[in-house]
Amino acid sequence: MLKLSKLTDYAVVALVRLGQKNEVTTSPVLSRSTGIPEPTVAKVLKILATQGIVTSQRGARGGYRLAHPLEEISIASVIQAIDGPISLTTCVDGGDCDARSTCGLGGQWDMVNAAIRNALSAITLADMKNHTVIDRLGGLQAPSMPSGPAATA
Amino acid sequence: MLKLSKLTDYAVVALVRLGQKNEVTTSPVLSRSTGIPEPTVAKVLKILATQGIVTSQRGARGGYRLAHPLEEISIASVIQAIDGPISLTTCVDGGDCDARSTCGLGGQWDMVNAAIRNALSAITLADMKNHTVIDRLGGLQAPSMPSGPAATA
DNA sequence: GCTAATTGGACCGGAACAGTACTGTTTCCT
DNA sequence: AGGAAACAGTACTGTTCCGGTCCAATTAGC
Ligand code: FES
Ligand code: FES
């Protein structure tokens, strides 16, 4: 349904919360503070650690800390860390599409895909925290639409 | 992975092909012309028919025809017809998110979701056919990005 | 050196999707 | 009228992927 996994949603919440208290934080603490189930938030942080979004400190008195400030972490990077690369269709980036030769849509999906990716890259976690997403998206509505699409609902 | 289902990909290909020959076309013909397996393309067209994207003519010499010109069919409408509504996270539109009260991201996802939806609504199947997607997306890149996000890869 | 705390990685169950098959209904052509 | 062609709807099956759980590796502190 063009939806991203629930893990990604959790990741954003956890990261924003991590950015508010700028110190090493453990999974249980983050779980209590966000309301996300403890095992789940732990898993999310584990993945984020492997992707370099957060740095981890093992052992007692360990925990997680942001690798970059919130302003430098884009939504896209979080999505790609959890859900994998942003690829609307299988045929972007030379995917193994069955109807490659006959479809006639050569590479147009790549454009759409890149547009989505750019939009998501422009939004940072700081925007999510400060509720300033709308500012960044000001130019996102299609600029010129001569013959308005009808079947949009 | 923020990917839309393969059926949607097929639907776009089939619809563009349908728009090229502006006459009633059968599933087998469309299958041969697009390279999509016959049962699959049939299933896709059936769904599109129920959603009013195409009109169907039953019986011998029957087939499918576009209900609207290509210029009036947006990518978003096709996606919604096949994959259901565009909802990035479960918490858009009053979803049953577990951490609603504690997450602190009140409604920001709705903004992001709406942006994606608007972008996809601005692209029509005619743009896909004519390879003019890039034109429509010219204003999609975020306008101002003072402190560029670093972790974008 | 031992214990406790915490991350790291592997495992498993279940839901959603893609694809297939079958039956029924409608329409055209002979 | 009869048969063939094509859509409509439903049901089924195999597979993939997400979500969650469990145990092993690692480090700080006493
Ligand atoms: S290459 Fe995938 S549909 Fe054209
Ligand atoms: S409402 Fe879903 S994460 Fe905040």
Side-chain angles (χ1 to χ4, degrees):
Chain A
M1 320 160 197
L2 194 56
K3 70 170 174 55
L4 41 81
S5 68
K6 195 182 285 190
L7 275 298
T8 306
D9 189 0
Y10 290 156
V12 173
V13 175
L15 286 172
V16 169
R17 190 56 53 100
L18 248 185
Q20 288 173 341
K21 45 180 61 180
N22 195 7
E23 59 190 33
V24 175
T25 313
T26 69
S27 299
V29 170
L30 223 47
S31 166
R32 262 181 294 277
S33 143
T34 57
I36 304 172
E38 188 168 325
T40 302
V41 73
K43 180 176 190 172
V44 169
L45 288 175
K46 271 180 268 191
I47 300 174
L48 292 174
T50 65
Q51 302 297 320
I53 307 283
V54 299
T55 59
S56 63
Q57 176 63 33
R58 291 181 69 153
R61 293 294 306 262
Y64 294 97
R65 186 200 305 261
L66 286 182
H68 309 277
L70 283 180
E71 286 78 14
E72 295 180 5
I73 304 178
S74 69
I75 295 284
S77 62
V78 178
I79 294 176
Q80 290 179 356
I82 303 286
D83 269 1
I86 296 177
S87 303
L88 266 70
T89 65
T90 55
C91 25
V92 290
D93 186 47
D96 57 348
C97 188
D98 309 346
R100 184 128 228 145
S101 54
T102 47
C103 85
L105 266 59
Q108 288 302 289
W109 277 120
D110 292 6
M111 304 294 180
V112 180
N113 195 52
I116 304 287
R117 191 155 39 197
N118 284 343
L120 292 173
S121 296
I123 305 173
T124 70
L125 293 181
D127 293 326
M128 294 291 282
K129 186 187 87 177
N130 301 326
H131 295 200
T132 54
V133 171
I134 192 69
D135 300 339
R136 286 296 180 90
L137 297 177
L140 265 181
Q141 337 297 357
S144 62
M145 202 185 306
S147 61
T152 304
Chain B
M1 315 158 202
L2 194 57
K3 71 170 174 55
L4 40 81
S5 70
K6 196 181 283 191
L7 275 298
T8 305
D9 189 2
Y10 290 156
V12 172
V13 175
L15 285 171
V16 169
R17 189 56 54 102
L18 250 184
Q20 287 174 340
K21 44 179 63 181
N22 194 7
E23 58 190 33
V24 174
T25 313
T26 70
S27 299
V29 169
L30 224 48
S31 166
R32 260 180 296 275
S33 142
T34 56
I36 303 170
E38 190 168 326
T40 303
V41 71
K43 181 178 189 174
V44 169
L45 288 175
K46 268 182 270 193
I47 300 174
L48 291 175
T50 65
Q51 302 296 320
I53 307 283
V54 300
T55 59
S56 62
Q57 175 63 34
R58 296 180 64 153
R61 294 295 308 262
Y64 294 96
R65 188 200 305 261
L66 287 182
H68 307 279
L70 283 180
E71 288 77 16
E72 295 181 3
I73 304 177
S74 70
I75 297 282
S77 62
V78 178
I79 294 175
Q80 289 179 356
I82 303 286
D83 268 2
I86 296 177
S87 302
L88 266 71
T89 65
T90 54
C91 26
V92 290
D93 187 46
D96 56 348
C97 189
D98 309 344
R100 184 129 228 145
S101 53
T102 47
C103 85
L105 265 61
Q108 290 300 290
W109 277 119
D110 291 8
M111 304 294 181
V112 180
N113 194 50
I116 304 286
R117 191 154 39 197
N118 285 342
L120 292 173
S121 296
I123 305 174
T124 70
L125 293 182
D127 292 326
M128 295 291 281
K129 187 187 84 175
N130 302 326
H131 296 198
T132 55
V133 171
I134 193 68
D135 299 340
R136 286 296 180 88
L137 297 178
L140 265 182
Q141 336 298 358
S144 61
M145 198 184 308
S147 62
T152 305

